[in-house]
């Protein structure tokens, strides 16, 4: 147990989630590692600019991917309402992702959720049948207020992902983050994941600690589904538990859905080490930094876990 305060851990968790996502913006969803290296011959240092034809083309370094865009909507909703209010979040989600003027990628979970909201606007638990990282990459602010409350986590998940496996991984993520906020180290927190799918993923990550993040990610799978991305994120966090920068950069260099994995790793290591664990020069690069700061100030007046 360390002497890092709860407030510092909450700030580290939330900033870490956003920094991990933004750092991967330009390199996101490039699966071929030779292609990734060729695209950035000077090396990958985080916050690369998306190339022409890229999923996030038009966004500037420091912007969030669609994962971070959704996380920002949720953070501001929770900060203003003081709790997770699914109706308020749904309104923000529909206004942002439903607008043709919004420059943000719409993944499967987002597209199907938008369609369901238009078809049945009163049903806020009928998200996509999707087991990818749409919800797990945005939920730090909800954990800050509600802890690992399984009902809240399920309601948040089913809004965008009406999928049993996604619920299980998100509930495990909430338990891990809650344990870290209470002062547990990463192995102790992982031991509290609390369900078979997440525990199996963590066991795989622990067993692969003798190989690099890049190699382990290739073995687990670089793609989006949580059975691939969760163990890869756990491996990176364990292997570089005391070095936020290294954990994020190795996650990015492993390619594929690196923005999702980096946001998960960033939240874990930020919660474990507090705000100072997240490099200040990376925090200051975030285009949404002032919005995050304002929301955190408001969140600090709420009852935290």
């Amino acid at each position: 147990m360390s002497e890092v305060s709860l407030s510092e851990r909450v700030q580290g968790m939330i900033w870490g989630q956003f920094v991990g996502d933004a750092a991967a913006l330009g390199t996101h969803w490039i699966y071929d590692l030779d292609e990734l290296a060729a695209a950035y011959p000077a090396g990958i240092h985080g916050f690369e600019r998306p190339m022409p034809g890229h999923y996030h083309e038009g966004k500037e370094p420091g912007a969030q991917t669609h994962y971070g865009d959704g996380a920002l909507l949720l953070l501001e909703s929770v900060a203003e309402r003081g709790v997770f209010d699914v109706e308020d979040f749904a309104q923000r989600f529909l206004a942002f992702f439903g607008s043709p003027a919004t420059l943000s990628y719409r993944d499967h979970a987002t597209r199907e959720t938008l369609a369901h909201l238009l078809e049945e606007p009163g049903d806020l638990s009928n998200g996509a049948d999707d087991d990818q990282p749409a919800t797990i990459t945005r939920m730090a602010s909800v954990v800050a207020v509600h802890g690992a409350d399984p009902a809240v986590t399920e309601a948040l998940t089913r809004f965008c992902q009406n999928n049993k496996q996604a619920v299980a991984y998100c509930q495990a993520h909430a338990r891990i983050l809650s344990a870290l906020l209470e002062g547990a180290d990463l192995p102790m927190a992982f031991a509290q994941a609390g369900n078979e799918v997440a525990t199996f993923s963590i066991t795989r990550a622990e067993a692969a600690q003798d190989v690099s993040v890049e190699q382990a990610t290739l073995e687990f799978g670089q793609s989006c589904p949580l059975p691939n991305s969760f163990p890869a994120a756990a491996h990176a966090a364990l292997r570089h538990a005391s070095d936020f920068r290294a954990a994020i950069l190795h996650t990015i260099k492993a390619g594929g859905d690196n923005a999702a994995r980096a946001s998960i790793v960033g939240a874990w290591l930020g919660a474990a080490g507090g705000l100072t664990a997240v490099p200040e020069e990376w925090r200051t690069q975030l285009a949404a930094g002032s919005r995050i700061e304002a929301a955190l100030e408001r969140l600090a007046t709420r009852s935290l876990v």
Side-chain angles (χ1 to χ4, degrees), residues 238-275:
L238 287 167
R239 189 168 171 84
H240 298 284
S242 61
D243 190 339
F244 184 100
R245 187 189 304 270
I248 296 300
L249 288 178
H250 282 288
T251 297
I252 292 173
K253 292 174 183 177
D257 194 9
N258 54 11
R261 300 193 308 272
S263 72
I264 298 168
V265 172
W268 286 337
L269 297 190
L275 182 60

Side-chain angles (χ1 to χ4, degrees), residues 128-195:
D129 183 7
D130 176 89
D131 68 349
Q132 299 184 47
T135 303
I136 204 170
T137 55
R138 68 172 60 128
M139 57 189 290
S141 59
V142 172
V143 174
V145 173
H146 293 282
D149 186 320
V152 174
T153 303
E154 181 167 0
L156 171 62
T157 307
R158 290 197 185 277
F159 167 72
C160 201
Q161 296 178 272
N162 192 12
N163 177 278
K164 182 178 179 180
Q165 185 157 252
V167 171
Y169 275 107
C170 287
Q171 289 178 332
H173 184 50
R175 284 189 286 268
I176 292 165
L177 287 174
S178 292
L180 292 169
L181 292 178
E182 293 171 1
D185 63 18
L186 202 57
M188 291 170 58
F190 279 159
Q192 298 183 44
N195 60 51

Side-chain angles (χ1 to χ4, degrees), residues 53-65:
H54 188 270
Y55 292 95
H56 306 299
E57 180 181 2
K59 288 194 170 187
E60 296 293 321
Q64 306 294 149
T65 75

Side-chain angles (χ1 to χ4, degrees), residues 3 54 62 76 101 112 122 157 178 192 204 214 227 245 281:
E3 297 180 359
H54 188 270
E76 292 181 330
E112 194 165 319
T157 307
S178 292
Q192 298 183 44
R204 294 178 68 203
E214 292 83 348
R245 187 189 304 270
E281 65 271 24

